[in-house]
Amino acid sequence: MRSPSDGFGPDHLPYGSVVTEEGRRLAVVRIGDAVLDLSPLGLFDQGSLDRLLGAGPETWRQVRGAVTDRLGSDPALIPLDRVRPVLPFSVADYADFYANEHHAANAGRILRPGGDPLSPNWKHLPVGYHGRSASVVVSGTEVRRPSGQYRDADGAVRFGPSQRMDFEAEVGFVVGVGNPPGTAIPVADFAAHVFGVVLLNDWSARDLQFWESAPLGPFLGKSFATSVSAWVTPLVALEAAWTAPPPRDPRPLPYLDDSADPSGLDLALEVAVNGSVVSRPSFASMYWTPAQLLAHLTVNGAPTRPGDLFGSGTVSGPRREERGCLLELTENGADPLRLGDGSRRGYLEDRDEVVITATAATNGGRVALGEVRGAIAP
Ligand code: MN
């Protein structure tokens, strides 16, 4: 049995932001079940990671070195249960992709039966959409069931609370150093721009989404809330987790060609609903890698800024128990899941709680990414 502090050892040191019992906001690093106040290190007077993100890889290295030094000198730590984590950085822009072939093929098969499950562009570019940064919330925040337009089974168009609330198990990437307008970020420059990794739940109201999405894609069915973990794992803590992505055919265009350094990330995800594990997807199965996502996002000259967040898209695998959302797990509600308490779910009910966790190999152990937890409020 894993203790809550496992995976948060000195080889991990994820960053976050907390509010203390005295009401002070502090930028911190997590070690085990405690946090280290970063205020003495400079850069952190706002209590957030905003200035650190924009400072760049050399500063990221120096700060991590300084944190390691301080931890070696037995500093005063604050127990995790005496602080409340808050969103650790100001989310600049948010984009979400659709970069897992198993998810895209399952979704295509369920939504367009008889057609080609993948759209003709899918193996040529990472399909994505621009989302809403203002509704990105930290793990633990309740998510209100949205209302909107949907078309019900008899074809009538209605307005009301979503009847098909879903989660999407994803991995999010936090941009530190942005790119100016008119420039792009090549695949090879990923680590010079991206600071770290969070777990992400791209909550989805499927009935709203399916009715509104033609022809422009997701809008209100996604923009009401996106949850991210309270802890940002720096890329450097995941150095042992890089792996070869699946073979790509056809070979991507030159700006997406990563054959010189193909960099998939091997993260083992787990999704639980009300304490019952419903899925264990592997991020190593992603067709498009995080570096390709960022290269595509900027190839038209679109700028990015410190705090930009981009999601991978739902992480799914070839087997049923590796599917990362209820749309796939329950065939759009037609084949409900049975939870540990014997109850059945086609889609989420009010008060249901979804928790996404993940671990990655390090040299000699595993790191645990910060969990992303959220419950549905009526
Ligand atoms: Mn998504």
Side-chain angles (χ1 to χ4, degrees), residues 96-97 129 168 170 202 222 313-314:
D96 193 38
F97 286 92
Y129 66 94
E168 289 190 337
E170 302 196 17
D202 177 28
K222 300 275 195 176
T314 306

Side-chain angles (χ1 to χ4, degrees), residues 37-218:
D37 176 9
L38 295 176
S39 338
L41 297 183
L43 282 176
F44 299 105
D45 46 305
Q46 300 159 325
S48 80
L49 308 181
D50 290 352
R51 286 178 60 202
L52 175 69
L53 292 181
E58 187 48 43
T59 302
W60 303 343
R61 263 192 299 276
Q62 287 168 5
V63 169
R64 188 169 167 91
V67 166
T68 301
D69 288 348
R70 286 180 74 87
L71 289 172
S73 65
D74 201 19
L77 299 174
I78 310 171
L80 201 52
D81 58 11
R82 304 261 302 273
V83 296
R84 178 172 56 86
V86 294
L87 196 62
F89 60 96
S90 307
V91 181
D93 280 304
Y94 165 53
D96 193 38
F97 286 92
Y98 190 57
N100 184 284
E101 184 175 357
H102 306 288
H103 171 68
N106 282 331
R109 173 179 59 74
I110 293 164
L111 299 179
R112 296 183 300 275
D116 211 340
L118 294 182
S119 51
N121 58 1
W122 201 90
K123 289 201 166 179
H124 295 272
L125 56 81
V127 172
Y129 66 94
H130 283 289
R132 176 145 295 260
S133 55
S135 55
V136 176
V137 296
V138 73
S139 174
T141 306
E142 239 182 18
V143 171
R144 193 169 295 276
R145 181 182 296 271
S147 286
Q149 276 197 31
Y150 59 92
R151 193 163 59 177
D152 70 13
D154 59 18
V157 177
R158 302 190 186 282
F159 179 91
S162 169
Q163 309 294 303
R164 295 189 180 221
M165 271 296 294
D166 201 354
F167 58 83
E168 289 190 337
E170 302 196 17
V171 177
F173 296 86
V174 181
V175 173
V177 180
N179 61 303
T183 68
I185 299 178
V187 166
D189 290 359
F190 180 75
H193 290 270
V194 169
F195 174 78
V197 177
V198 291
L199 291 176
L200 185 151
N201 185 341
D202 177 28
W203 300 98
S204 300
R206 299 299 184 194
D207 38 6
L208 278 55
Q209 180 191 346
F210 298 157
W211 174 230
E212 74 186 357
S213 282
L216 286 183

